[in-house]
Every structure is written in C-alpha cells, then in structure tokens.
Amino acid sequence: MNTLTLATSNSTHTSAGPAVDRHRPLRLWLVELRKLVDTPAGIALLALAALLAGVFGGGVALVTDETTLDRIVRLAGIPAGILLPVLAALLATGDRQHRTALTGYALTPRRGQVLAAKAWAVISLAVVAWVLALLAGVLIAAVATPLVNHPIEWSINWTGQLWFALGLVLAALSGYAVGLVAGNAPAAVSVLLAWPVFALFLGIVPQIAEVLAWLDINALAAFADGIEPVEVARVATGVAAWVILPGTVGVLRELRREVR
C-alpha cells in the first residue's frame, strides 16, 4: 500500500513538472545587490562618493552667496552620477573577472534572469544614491546655516529632483550596458571615465559640440526647466547610444558566450 501511494505521488509530481521557485528573482536581486556593495572596490567607491558628496554639497553651501537646498542636493549627487556607472560596469564584468560565472549559471541556468537581476540591482542602487543625496543635502544645509552669513533657502523643485533621480538611473544603466558589451572591467571603466574628458576636449570645436549634444545621456537634466521636443530627441539618442544599443549587444553576447 505504501509502495502504491509513493508511486502515485511520484507520478503526480512528474506530470505536474518541477516546482516553480517564485522567490528566485528576489533572491537573485539581493545577491547581485550585495555584489555591488560588498566588495573592496564597491566599498571604496561608495566611501569616495560619500566624501565627495560632502565636498560638493558643502562647498556650494559655504561659497555661494545665494543657494537653495535643491542645488545642494544636486551637487551632492554629482559624485554618485560619476561613480555609479563604474560600480555597474564592475558588476556586469565581475563574474567573468573572478571566474564565478560557471558556478552562477550552474545554479541559475537561465542567464536572462541573472542579467535582469543585475540590472535591477543597479537601478536600486541609483535610487538609494538619490535618497542619500537628499539626506546629505538636508544635513549639509542644517550644519551650514549657522556657519554662513547668507541665508540658505529650504526649497526643493521636486519635478527637477525626479528628473535628476532618473538621470542617475540612466547613468548607472549606461555603465552596466558598457560593462556587458566590453566584457572586462578595465576596458569598461576606461571608456566610462575617459569619455567625459574626451568629449569636453572635442567640444571645443563648435561643429563637433553640436554632434556630441546628441550623444549626451545627461541631457535629461534639462527637463527640469521644461520639456522641449529637441531635448526629448537628444535624450532619446543619448539613451539609445549609451544604454539600448550597447545593452542589447552585451546581453546577446552574454547569452551566447561560452562560460568558463
């Protein structure tokens, strides 16, 4: 009787197929989020971003005669906008760099789930960075108010702040996309750090500057002052050039690439 019951149970389980792990996406997201911040490079970059946030935000509060909390928050968030793409690129290339891709894909054979979890981890960190910039701005304004002779206006343009937050998300995703398409950390980080300097140098020539304006992912910040059709087109081309195109190529490459 017990044998018959066991056989029936096994038959039912086999016909129904393997159980679906509904919590796997959440676990993958938490694992990838931890990879972002729980490494020597991640800790160093986050500490540097926090230090520079105080320098940028505190500098404008102490030096500028008329400033607002909104401006302090934006300047405090600038270091995050620079370092988030680097962190994202390190996450995109980390498994290959540390030879853990084989183990990871053995535990989660669907590579698309792993790549999606990495992308969501990058987006989550960008949102957290914006929230921390808000908190840093409030702290800097509170500390600087009794130290300066000029008033600090406690006002925030929330529409502009939301565009600023979305800009941080796009900057982080651009780093993730570049990391995927580059395939290794040194090349990806070199591109992310060298391009702004290279573009600034080329921007001296007016004709080249007009072309580079259509490849600027940071053009989204202009939406804070009103959305114009030309600015929408520039943002679209910038996102296509830095997120969609390299991201698509990188994902296809990762899905088909041999795991070692």
Side-chain angles (χ1 to χ4, degrees), residues 152-241:
I152 296 177
E153 184 179 349
W154 287 69
S155 62
I156 288 185
N157 178 4
W158 288 108
T159 301
Q161 284 295 327
L162 291 177
W163 287 121
F164 179 65
L166 184 56
L168 290 179
V169 170
L170 290 178
L173 286 176
S174 70
Y176 180 57
V178 171
L180 285 177
V181 76
N184 65 84
V189 173
S190 298
V191 170
L192 293 170
L193 295 181
W195 171 253
V197 179
F198 188 62
L200 183 64
F201 177 76
L202 292 178
I204 298 175
V205 182
Q207 293 80 1
I208 298 179
E210 292 180 2
V211 175
L212 293 178
W214 292 86
L215 299 175
D216 185 13
I217 197 172
N218 296 317
L220 190 70
F223 284 4
D225 300 323
I227 301 176
E228 299 293 336
V230 174
E231 293 171 349
V232 173
R234 287 178 176 175
V235 170
T237 56
V239 172

Side-chain angles (χ1 to χ4, degrees), residues 22-105:
R22 298 178 180 177
H23 300 289
R24 175 174 289 181
L26 178 60
R27 285 202 298 268
L28 287 175
W29 170 69
L30 292 174
V31 167
E32 299 301 336
L33 191 59
R34 182 176 179 179
K35 288 181 183 178
L36 269 173
V37 299
D38 194 20
T39 62
I43 294 172
L45 289 175
L46 290 174
L48 180 61
L51 176 63
L52 292 178
V55 172
F56 279 60
V60 70
L62 296 174
V63 176
T64 308
D65 290 336
E66 295 182 3
T67 189
T68 63
L69 177 60
D70 184 78
R71 187 177 182 189
I72 295 174
V73 171
R74 287 173 184 268
L75 287 175
I78 286 178
I82 298 173
L83 297 177
L84 276 174
V86 176
L87 274 171
L90 293 177
L91 179 66
T93 59
D95 288 336
R96 298 283 183 177
Q97 201 80 12
H98 298 102
R99 308 279 184 173
T100 57
L102 182 59
T103 303
Y105 288 144

Side-chain angles (χ1 to χ4, degrees), residues 7-19:
T8 305
S9 176
N10 289 338
S11 176
T12 303
H13 178 72
T14 304
S15 61

